[in-house]
Amino acid sequence: MKTTYREAMRAALRDAMQRDERVFLMGEDVGRYGGSFAVSLGLLEEFGPERIRDTPLSESGFVGAGIGAALGGMRPVVEIMTVNFSLLALDQIINNAATLLHMSGGQFNVPIVIRMTTGAGRQLGAQHSHSLEGWYAHIPGLRILAPATLADARGMLWTALQDPDPVLIFEHGSLYNVAGELDDDAGAVEIDKAAVVRSGDGLTLITYGGTLPMVLEAAEQLAAEGIEADVIDLRTLRPLDEHTILDSVARTHRAVVVDEGWRSGSISAEIAARICEQAFFDLDAPVERVCSLEVPVPYAKHLEQAALPSVERVVAAARRAVGTNG
Amino acid sequence: MSTVRNQGVPDQEHALHLLRQMLRVRRLEEKCIELYSAAKIRGFLHVYIGEEAVAAGVMETLAPDDAVVATYREHGHALLRGVSAGAILAEMYGHAEGCCRGRGGSMHLFDADTRFYGGNAIVAGGLPLAVGLALADRMAGRQRVTVCFFGEGAVAEGEFHESMNLAALWQLPVLFCCENNLYAMGTALGRSESQTDIALKAAGYEISAWAVDGMDVLAVEEAARRAVDAVRSGGGPHFLELRTYRFRAHSMFDPELYREKTEVSRWMERDPISLLQGTMQAAGQLPEDTWATLTADVDAEISTAVGFAENGTPEPVSELMRFVYSDRAEHTGAGDGAGKEGAAG
Ligand SMILES: Cc1ncc(C[n+]2csc(CCOP(=O)(O)OP(=O)(O)O)c2C)c(N)n1
């Protein structure tokens, strides 16, 4: 079946709503407008305004209400337009969703799923372009998913809804229009393991979400130069599947981490640190990182592109790692 | 908006019950202060002394399956909701027998059995949760009520306004109880709000709101009953501004430089416990020996609770990492009633 990332997301929502009447979608413009990224287009007509629930502009209020509804036995899917706006709901996500199970001594689960877009590349300026999923991956109590493929766009939601704990799903804005083949019977996928989406013994390229297509392109170019790469799609940023990373590095002895977040304190920093902690003697070269430059993402196209990871930068980092620089 | 005042002679048995409830909170917290001074319990400790009429009056009107959300000044709410004094004190001791197995402490008391959802130390952080709990009931067609307690300091937070708006917009079954004790730590209401009439503010969101004498437990109960009944029968969110006062400092760390001793003593003349005591005595409803029995009972309850907490066992460090994520084996997935609430809903 030919589909898009957006349609796969929508199919996942529809499927979840049909399978479990406790599931409902709530967020700004998810209903009448059809979703600011058109993910929920048509669902209002299908499920009605109680379950496709438009909210006012009050991120903290409706995310908190989602947490309360989860405590009350529902299975809310809360959509936040972008990760940038989720900062207004940080208190609810971090101080409530992530902590209530622990603070209550195991009495209160918060089975909420919060979806939001992330990432840059569409000249929207700093306040619409940041990649902050790595920050959320810092928080114990949260599970952080970043579907990069059609199969994961289709399959992660249901698994997330079955998780008794809060799950945040980050959808990179550049992925919605990605089209491709998806099995007709595609459904839920597991969310515990990273995926090796391309194999090679030359080095390990580690990424997730919106940068996966770019990293695969870089891997193609490297292959043309005779450098075969393992490409790892992390899929889940917390809890991190470090086994897949360490297994690969043990074979390839070289690693490049590609992350659209800023380098300082990023998920790429965490991954590089774990490789150094646990696979130091496997390494034949320093771990390389390709991240966004440490600047608020600018508007002008050439500036924005220069700030973000690119195929060229990934290829250059890979060449440094394998020692074929220049 | 209107002001509710109670009139008339109360039913003796019921008045005695309310008196007992307030006294239980008072004695529990006096004990907390003692234990704190003896370094048996630590952390932040915020007592409710002076405000007991609010929790006592409101809790009286709730059904067992209603939900309660409170702040960090919640020992009284927890106790009167039905959490045992022993489980509360053991929690402050950091013991496994505590209502949150030592992970919450004084500010984070929770109890699934009585649907007591905290214990929230973020000012206004509980309001959206209450909205969501009420939303869940509405969507599931249940006739339950969610009550949310918070201080007047929370009124300046954005979450207060977001929650009022959502609750009214969606006509949710929630009762907001603003415990207006005039101070947010050291900040007097008049120094933090342009409009100091809080019930009026709530009414601005098209929510039925009343201001109530929060020192008069009978008035609180009457107003709460009216509001809870209206909420339960589909009348949408309601709001009570309970005008009260805390007799003690904000917390054990507060040197209380911001208010006059004379102001405090003026309010103490309206101590909710003495007030009801006086009303009952005047009506011949509180003979000496009844009062003596009551205080002896309450003292016994509290000393048993202290004993329970003292003899508890520290939550083992080997258990430290539990409850960060769920034990997945205990949860077999959505659609099958995962989670405690799911089964009921
Ligand atoms: C969001 C937030 N800001 C600041 C604080 C610190 N703080 C704790 S209690 C308090 C005063 C709150 O006053 P009020 O809401 O009136 O409740 P009261 O303590 O009087 O019961 C403040 C500022 C906090 N806990 N949360």
Side-chain angles (χ1 to χ4, degrees), chain B residues 72-73 121-123 151-154 157 181 183-185 250:
Chain B
Y72 48 84
R73 197 183 295 288
I122 306 296
V123 169
E152 86 293 342
E157 294 278 4
N181 62 17
Y183 293 91
M185 290 182 60
H250 167 72

Side-chain angles (χ1 to χ4, degrees), chain B residues 31-54:
Chain B
K31 185 56 76 176
C32 287
I33 292 170
E34 212 180 295
L35 293 169
Y36 197 92
S37 306
K40 296 276 190 182
I41 60 180
R42 298 277 81 193
F44 276 133
L45 182 74
H46 310 87
V47 296
Y48 197 54
I49 292 173
E51 306 188 37
E52 295 91 342
V54 175

Side-chain angles (χ1 to χ4, degrees), chain B residues 81-137:
Chain B
R81 184 58 188 160
V83 187
S84 75
I88 294 170
L89 285 175
E91 182 60 28
M92 296 187 210
Y93 273 71
H95 285 171
E97 293 78 6
C99 58
C100 301
R101 306 177 67 150
R103 284 163 179 79
S106 161
M107 299 193 288
H108 305 295
L109 304 175
F110 294 88
D111 183 52
D113 290 343
T114 56
R115 302 197 71 226
F116 188 70
Y117 292 93
N120 204 309
I122 306 296
V123 169
L127 279 93
L129 297 186
V131 169
L133 282 159
L135 175 63
D137 286 336

